[in-house]
Amino acid sequence: IAEAYRNLCAVGAKPLATTDCMNFGNPEKPHIMAQFVGCIEGMAEACEALDMPIVSGNVSLYNETTGADGVSHAILPTPAIGAVGLIDDLDKMMTIGFKEEGSRLWLIGDPSPHCHGSDNAGLGHLEQSLWLKQMREQEGTAPPPVDLDVERKNGDFVRQLILDGMISSCHDISDGGLLVALAEMALSSNIGAKFFTEDPASETSALFGEGQARYLVASKEDMVQKLAEEHGVDCTEIGQVGGKALTYQANGHHKLSFSIPLSDLREAHESFFRDWMTD
């Protein structure tokens, strides 16, 4: 629900309503019914806090699949979410691609989120992340927590920046974290960026952590930081748009630096399906 809300806010739409498809195993089993109830309760809380009610949906139960052990298992609890919003003026609709070289890059939201009390506390918000799954072949424990008050405050702020013409591009941060979001913005426009991070605990967490209620925006306006402070929103300058590469600059305690040409990123991004079909 929170990510659907961010998707709408990031283009300048006012979130209005939600729909769902609830996919679960056999509800006659107590632990499956507990999953179902827990999902509904969590979704209801989010919809109320974000003023985005569920107006339609469907349910698919008794879903099972055969595992590697040859035994039938229930699918993972899978509530699929869709949401709809309204853009009053399509001329103000925001997109993710960078528009102007020299624009400053801002991270809206907590610049160094961490999972406190986790068994893998050192991983920060890498729990249940794509990085953890792909690089360590692990899943971790709990996903990053969602603070619905912060989610709404940050979303309202970003949407207002868009309506006021204060920013030229915007992308919410979700799967893959900050670095993946930046790559998507750069590939969408074929304009690169130079950036750094402020997380003192973990460079990996800063680049790939999937903390919630966060956005990347680009702007040539000097007022973004001041406006964020007035609205009580975390806002951190992390770099500048320009060039034909995605360049990470070491900053303070961080020692890692790299520069990836956009042509290499595009080939890696677009070659997967081609290579998979020809292998």
Side-chain angles (χ1 to χ4, degrees):
I1 298 290
E3 184 177 357
Y5 179 82
R6 285 197 299 275
N7 291 162
L8 291 169
C9 291
V11 298
K14 176 179 174 56
L16 294 179
T18 309
T19 186
D20 63 46
C21 178
M22 307 293 283
N23 306 282
F24 293 82
N26 183 353
E28 298 174 45
K29 298 178 180 179
H31 70 285
I32 300 295
M33 178 54 76
Q35 294 172 350
F36 189 48
V37 171
C39 279
I40 291 173
E41 290 177 344
M43 290 163 57
E45 181 182 351
C47 287
E48 289 179 359
L50 301 176
D51 194 18
M52 203 168 62
I54 291 177
V55 296
S56 66
N58 69 341
V59 178
S60 177
L61 302 173
Y62 299 95
N63 294 288
E64 296 186 343
T65 185
T66 302
D69 56 4
V71 178
S72 181
H73 299 274
I75 65 166
L76 293 174
T78 309
I81 304 299
V84 64
L86 178 65
I87 299 177
D88 288 322
D89 185 352
L90 282 178
D91 290 336
K92 294 184 178 181
M93 185 181 74
M94 187 55 54
T95 59
I96 69 173
F98 294 134
K99 310 298 189 306
E100 303 174 287
E101 298 215 13
S103 295
R104 297 157 74 179
L105 275 172
W106 305 90
L107 169 62
I108 306 297
D110 192 343
S112 56
H114 293 284
C115 292
H116 301 289
S118 165
D119 292 337
N120 294 318
L123 291 177
H125 275 178
L126 292 169
E127 298 280 16
Q128 297 291 342
S129 68
L130 286 182
W131 181 89
L132 193 62
K133 181 178 180 180
Q134 296 296 325
M135 303 306 294
R136 292 194 179 180
E137 297 184 345
Q138 301 175 13
E139 291 187 351
T141 54
V146 177
D147 186 321
L148 294 169
D149 291 335
V150 174
E151 196 72 64
R152 181 157 187 173
K153 179 174 65 174
N154 291 2
D156 287 346
F157 176 69
V158 166
R159 194 166 62 253
Q160 195 60 52
L161 288 179
I162 294 171
L163 294 177
D164 291 342
M166 297 293 295
I167 60 178
S168 57
S169 50
C170 177
H171 195 11
D172 64 299
I173 298 177
S174 56
D175 293 348
L178 182 146
L179 185 53
V180 169
L182 271 176
E184 291 173 344
M185 297 175 83
L187 290 177
S188 178
S189 58
N190 205 35
I191 302 175
K194 295 181 179 180
F195 68 103
F196 54 87
T197 60
E198 296 289 351
D199 189 337
S202 167
E203 202 155 41
T204 303
S205 177
L207 294 175
F208 296 102
E210 298 179 8
Q212 306 294 292
R214 299 192 300 158
Y215 303 78
L216 285 171
V217 302
S219 175
K220 284 192 172 181
E221 299 285 346
D222 294 328
M223 290 290 292
V224 173
Q225 181 91 54
K226 185 175 185 297
L227 289 171
E229 291 175 357
E230 292 175 356
H231 287 80
V233 170
D234 287 323
C235 179
T236 309
E237 187 171 3
I238 65 165
Q240 190 175 57
V241 174
K244 293 298 180 182
L246 208 54
T247 302
Y248 180 69
Q249 302 168 307
N251 182 41
H253 47 274
H254 291 161
K255 299 180 181 180
L256 173 69
S257 293
F258 60 79
S259 184
I260 308 173
L262 295 187
S263 56
D264 291 353
L265 272 178
R266 191 173 302 282
E267 172 62 17
H269 178 63
E270 296 179 355
S271 65
F272 167 78
F273 190 67
R274 181 194 68 211
D275 294 345
W276 182 61
M277 292 294 289
T278 55
D279 284 345

